[in-house]
Amino acid sequence: MTDNGTESPTRPVRRLTHPDPASRGRGGQRFLLVGLVMASVYSLFPVWWLVVAATKDRTGLYQSNGLWFSGWHLWDNLHQLFTYDDGIFLRWTANSFLYAGVGSLGGTLLALATGYGLARFEFPGRNLVFACVVGSFLIPIALLTLPLYLLFSEIGLVDTPWAMLIPCLINPFSVYLAKVYTESTIPFELLEAARIDGAGELRIFVSIVLRMMTTGGATVFLLAFVNTWNAFFLPLTVLRGEENWTLNLGLYNWSGKRLESGVDLTSLVLTGALLSIVPMAIMMVAMRRYWRSGVTLGALK
């Protein structure tokens, strides 16, 4: 009612509405899906280009569309790759497997033993040792290459497989991962029970710790294998003879022959680069059950 006795019009009541949580969730999922698709395309684009380039001959490589096929010369490229210079590519492949496989396996065992010792043994200076391990992450591996070369030259290890294997045995990041996994998976009670039963420390490590550290060990080995397989600056510095080169160093030498001697080996370089990623892909697929669990375990820690 108004002051003059007439009824005032009824004003509609405005209700506050909140956005539907489901619609907000769908919007976030779409944004995440678009981001994942873009990241996948960005990651797979170089691989696609490499696959396409490896199927072309020299003419098609320079005169055709770089993102699509132009003839099928993959088998010819593979034959030339395996027979060029008396099959030196196969020797480089064997060297890469030696350095990455043996070096990573030995480095994994040392990292697991060191991480286990730092996590489950009390000794003076343990925190200082662990601080040094973590602090060593700040030192780029490139800065250590020249001191390693000078050291190996003094003891006569330059241009030998040991110049690659010895640095692969020591990896501070692997030690850090091993310590984290040990703290997450190896309880003190189990170790004390084994000691009460009369087991020695070496037997405890070999029979109990290593078996329980399979997931962590697989993750450490995989990361070390990929890192050693892709290494370039260290073999470039410590390896002189062609017979001791790795795949990366050998393909790099082939790519430079066009400028040095006018020999164009681009097709062989691209085909060799395609083959060089096959072992890592097989390794990732074969060990995915272990490294997925290992990465999740490290994240939970």
Side-chain angles (χ1 to χ4, degrees), residues 183-233:
E183 293 174 345
S184 302
T185 58
I186 310 298
F188 284 102
E189 295 78 10
L190 179 63
L191 301 178
E192 291 297 330
R195 294 187 181 104
I196 293 174
D197 290 340
E201 296 298 337
L202 180 60
R203 182 178 179 184
I204 292 175
F205 176 73
V206 175
S207 302
I208 299 177
V209 175
L210 285 183
R211 294 185 179 182
M212 297 182 66
M213 288 286 291
T214 303
T215 299
T219 304
V220 171
F221 174 80
L222 182 60
L223 294 177
F225 184 91
V226 173
N227 185 50
T228 306
W229 185 272
N230 293 328
F232 176 76
F233 194 56

Side-chain angles (χ1 to χ4, degrees), residues 8-264:
S8 60
T10 304
R11 296 181 179 179
V13 179
R14 298 180 61 184
R15 297 181 178 178
L16 297 177
T17 58
H18 298 280
D20 186 8
S23 62
R24 288 188 299 177
R26 288 192 295 268
Q29 291 177 359
R30 295 192 189 98
F31 180 78
L32 180 61
L33 180 60
V34 171
L36 291 176
V37 170
M38 294 179 62
S40 300
V41 172
Y42 176 79
S43 302
L44 296 177
F45 180 80
V47 179
W48 170 255
W49 178 86
L50 184 61
V51 171
V52 172
T55 62
K56 299 180 180 181
D57 58 0
R58 187 181 307 171
T59 302
L61 189 63
Y62 291 111
Q63 298 181 3
S64 63
N65 185 0
L67 299 180
W68 197 247
F69 301 94
S70 175
W72 187 264
H73 303 276
L74 179 61
W75 309 125
D76 296 334
N77 293 338
L78 290 175
H79 180 265
Q80 296 178 18
L81 180 68
F82 293 144
T83 57
Y84 182 81
D85 198 7
D86 296 329
I88 192 63
F89 178 82
L90 298 177
R91 177 63 181 268
W92 295 339
T93 304
N95 291 338
S96 294
F97 273 110
L98 172 65
Y99 304 148
V102 177
S104 300
L105 181 60
T108 298
L109 293 176
L110 287 177
L112 293 180
T114 306
Y116 168 68
L118 289 174
R120 290 295 178 259
F121 287 93
E122 293 285 347
F123 56 88
R126 185 182 70 164
N127 294 332
L128 178 61
V129 172
F130 182 68
C132 293
V133 171
V134 176
S136 61
F137 297 165
L138 304 177
I139 304 176
I141 187 61
L143 294 181
L144 300 177
T145 303
L146 183 57
L148 286 174
Y149 171 78
L150 295 176
L151 176 62
F152 291 153
S153 63
E154 288 291 333
I155 58 180
L157 294 182
V158 172
D159 200 24
T160 65
W162 291 108
M164 283 293 299
L165 292 175
I166 293 178
C168 294
L169 297 177
I170 303 173
N171 191 332
F173 185 68
S174 299
V175 174
Y176 172 77
L177 288 180
K179 181 180 182 298
V180 171
Y181 294 138
T182 300
E183 293 174 345
S184 302
T185 58
I186 310 298
F188 284 102
E189 295 78 10
L190 179 63
L191 301 178
E192 291 297 330
R195 294 187 181 104
I196 293 174
D197 290 340
E201 296 298 337
L202 180 60
R203 182 178 179 184
I204 292 175
F205 176 73
V206 175
S207 302
I208 299 177
V209 175
L210 285 183
R211 294 185 179 182
M212 297 182 66
M213 288 286 291
T214 303
T215 299
T219 304
V220 171
F221 174 80
L222 182 60
L223 294 177
F225 184 91
V226 173
N227 185 50
T228 306
W229 185 272
N230 293 328
F232 176 76
F233 194 56
L234 179 62
L236 178 65
T237 305
V238 300
L239 298 179
R240 300 287 184 83
E242 189 179 52
E243 66 279 359
N244 292 324
W245 286 353
T246 61
L247 269 179
N248 291 338
L249 189 56
L251 295 177
Y252 170 77
N253 178 262
W254 279 0
S255 65
K257 282 190 175 182
R258 183 181 179 183
L259 299 177
E260 296 177 358
S261 58
V263 179
D264 190 359

